[in-house]
Amino acid sequence: MKTRFVAAAVALALSVTVLSACGSSSDSTGGGDTELTVWIMKDSVADDFLTRFERDFEKRHSGVRLDVQIQEWEGIGEKVTAALASNDAPDVIEVGNTQVAQYAASGGVKDLTDKVGELHGRDWLPGLAEPGKVGGKQYGIPWYAANRVVIYNKDLFAEAGITEPPTTRADWLADTRALDKGKTQGIYLPGQNWYTLAGFIWDEGGDLAVRSGGEWKGALDTPEALRGMDFYRRLQALGKGPKDSDEAKPPQAEVFAKGDVAQIISVPGGAKIVEQANPELKGKLGFFPVPGPSAAKPGSVFTGGSNLIIPEASAHQDAAYQVVKALAGKKWQTDMARLMSYVPNRTSLAHVIEDNEGTAAMAAGAAQGHATPNSPQWAAVEATNPVKGYMTAVLTGADPAKAAEKASASITKTLGS
């Protein structure tokens, strides 16, 4: 997955060889010897998880052998596209949740709509399920998710007299103003953290782009999106974050580690990086979901993560589905969430990570998860990313409406190419 807010990069390729004996057990795929290949992204899961999954799958499917291969992310998009068009495609592939539309557009991905009920689709996280659904058909099966939360310095909150994390955007602004005094930054929020902006826009009922009459159009210039940008502007002003770069320049974890910043917006795993940079902060960091307009529910967040797809060119689609079903099922979702600090694909499984403050906050926010516009051309929008330029323009004094109109026109042009 190209971003994407998972503590680990998402890029592994897993080759799975399935040799199932005919009529060997009730769990067997049947039909004689079958060789099955599955690609999953590097660092998605630990070796220990893969080993245990292989052994369990082999036990439940007589004659099955799993051959796991690791593959780098660089160039994987071109490789997947080529594989989908070939006669020798893998049987299961892990893809970034926002990439499903791009691959489905090729016509080389199997429609799994008839499996949604069996896989408890009504319980899936929206931010994973929605990108996997294209034209009313479910091509991608949600696997795991990660999203941003607020990481805060407990000592600085206590010094400001704040005893409980805020649960509304109004309270969040008020608390951040109280924290932004003297040498302390209320929040470190770079000017081009556009995934965070997207959440504020979704909270207002807007979007980055919308589809109407079969055509995609940029939507940053709608009243809803402009309100989301205005909230971002007010929050960003309560710190010293650069207005012309994102959270990677400079790395915001390093800035936070200096000890004079009260909050950052990051995946929970960012706290580990902070603690590595400044061990004195270990045990002093807390987490809470990004607040929403009301206390009734957390704010909207971008859901990064992975889906599983089955190529049309797979010669063993029934056997491939058994691997997908197992990986997306309760047993391995629970195991993976606890081991990797991911959010499971089902909302009803959020409790399995409640004993970890960071992942619990992430799971609470995941229920309000969204994905970027489900267009095959969205990757091209991100390549030039007019959203970032728009944000910098507004934060440095440009007229928001005019800047939004310009950025929306750029998005529309790219999505229509």
Side-chain angles (χ1 to χ4, degrees):
M1 153 187 115
K2 187 177 174 185
T3 78
R4 260 344 204 197
F5 315 134
V6 254
V10 191
L12 168 151
L14 175 184
S15 253
V16 184
T17 303
V18 177
L19 305 173
S20 52
C22 195
S24 56
S25 75
S26 60
D27 289 320
S28 174
T29 54
D33 292 349
T34 304
E35 187 172 283
L36 183 71
T37 302
V38 182
W39 288 356
I40 314 279
M41 307 308 291
K42 180 183 178 181
D43 294 334
S44 290
V45 289
D47 291 343
D48 175 63
F49 174 89
L50 292 175
T51 297
R52 286 183 287 103
F53 175 75
E54 291 169 24
R55 290 174 179 171
D56 184 80
F57 195 82
E58 290 170 359
K59 179 180 178 180
R60 294 173 181 273
H61 299 78
S62 180
V64 171
R65 179 171 62 87
L66 302 181
D67 176 23
V68 179
Q69 301 176 359
I70 306 298
Q71 180 173 332
E72 297 297 327
W73 172 256
E74 185 175 357
I76 194 64
E78 293 82 355
K79 187 168 186 178
V80 171
T81 300
L84 293 174
S86 73
N87 293 322
D88 188 29
D91 300 282
V92 178
I93 305 175
E94 177 196 358
V95 299
N97 60 322
T98 61
Q99 297 173 328
V100 177
Q102 174 186 347
Y103 297 137
S106 70
V109 182
K110 180 176 175 58
D111 175 10
L112 296 171
T113 306
D114 63 338
K115 303 297 186 183
V116 171
E118 182 179 5
L119 296 175
H120 302 273
R122 289 187 177 182
D123 196 23
W124 284 339
L125 292 175
L128 284 180
E130 291 170 3
K133 191 172 185 178
V134 182
K137 298 180 179 180
Q138 194 76 40
Y139 294 97
I141 302 302
W143 193 22
Y144 66 83
N147 51 264
R148 284 180 165 90
V149 300
V150 181
I151 304 177
Y152 70 100
N153 186 313
K154 293 181 179 180
D155 285 352
L156 295 181
F157 266 56
E159 290 173 9
I162 302 171
T163 57
E164 295 289 338
T167 57
T168 69
R169 293 202 324 201
D171 288 343
W172 193 19
L173 279 177
D175 287 348
T176 305
R177 289 192 190 97
L179 289 159
D180 190 42
K181 293 182 178 179
K183 295 181 179 180
T184 299
Q185 294 187 57
I187 189 170
Y188 181 81
L189 181 59
Q192 296 184 347
N193 192 333
W194 69 282
Y195 286 112
T196 296
L197 169 63
F200 299 157
I201 291 174
W202 291 324
D203 278 341
E204 296 291 345
D207 210 332
L208 302 172
V210 295
R211 191 176 187 182
S212 177
E215 300 292 331
W216 282 96
K217 180 181 179 182
L220 293 175
D221 54 343
T222 63
E224 296 83 0
L226 288 169
R227 288 198 298 269
M229 182 63 221
D230 184 63
F231 180 79
Y232 190 101
R233 178 188 59 77
R234 287 184 285 158
L235 184 65
Q236 200 271 341
L238 299 175
K240 300 176 182 177
K243 293 177 171 55
D244 59 351
S245 65
D246 59 24
E247 58 268 46
K249 301 175 183 178
Q252 68 173 3
E254 295 180 6
V255 176
F256 191 46
K258 294 177 181 179
D260 59 355
V261 173
Q263 309 167 81
I264 57 172
I265 301 172
S266 169
V267 292
K272 295 295 183 182
I273 302 174
V274 172
E275 291 172 354
Q276 289 173 7
N278 184 359
E280 292 183 3
L281 289 177
K282 190 170 184 178
K284 298 182 179 181
L285 303 181
F287 309 82
F288 59 89
V290 173
S294 75
K297 59 184 180 181
S300 299
V301 290
F302 169 74
T303 301
S306 285
N307 279 205
L308 299 170
I309 63 173
I310 298 176
E312 285 283 13
S314 167
H316 316 292
Q317 293 183 356
D318 291 342
Y321 172 68
Q322 295 304 315
V323 175
V324 171
K325 182 179 179 181
L327 288 172
K330 180 178 179 180
K331 173 182 173 65
W332 293 104
Q333 282 293 300
T334 299
D335 189 307
M336 181 169 59
R338 288 173 172 164
L339 178 67
M340 304 300 297
S341 296
Y342 289 151
V343 177
N345 63 3
R346 303 185 198 176
T347 58
S348 63
L349 294 178
H351 68 278
V352 305
I353 51 176
E354 286 179 349
D355 58 345
N356 182 297
E357 184 182 358
T359 50
M362 184 168 64
Q368 308 305 320
H370 293 254
T372 49
N374 204 10
S375 164
Q377 299 299 324
W378 185 256
V381 173
E382 290 192 22
T384 56
N385 211 328
V387 184
K388 287 186 172 184
Y390 157 64
M391 296 173 73
T392 295
V394 173
L395 295 175
T396 54
D399 178 80
K402 292 182 178 178
E405 184 178 358
K406 180 180 178 180
S408 292
S410 177
I411 293 173
T412 299
K413 181 178 180 180
T414 302
L415 292 179
S417 65

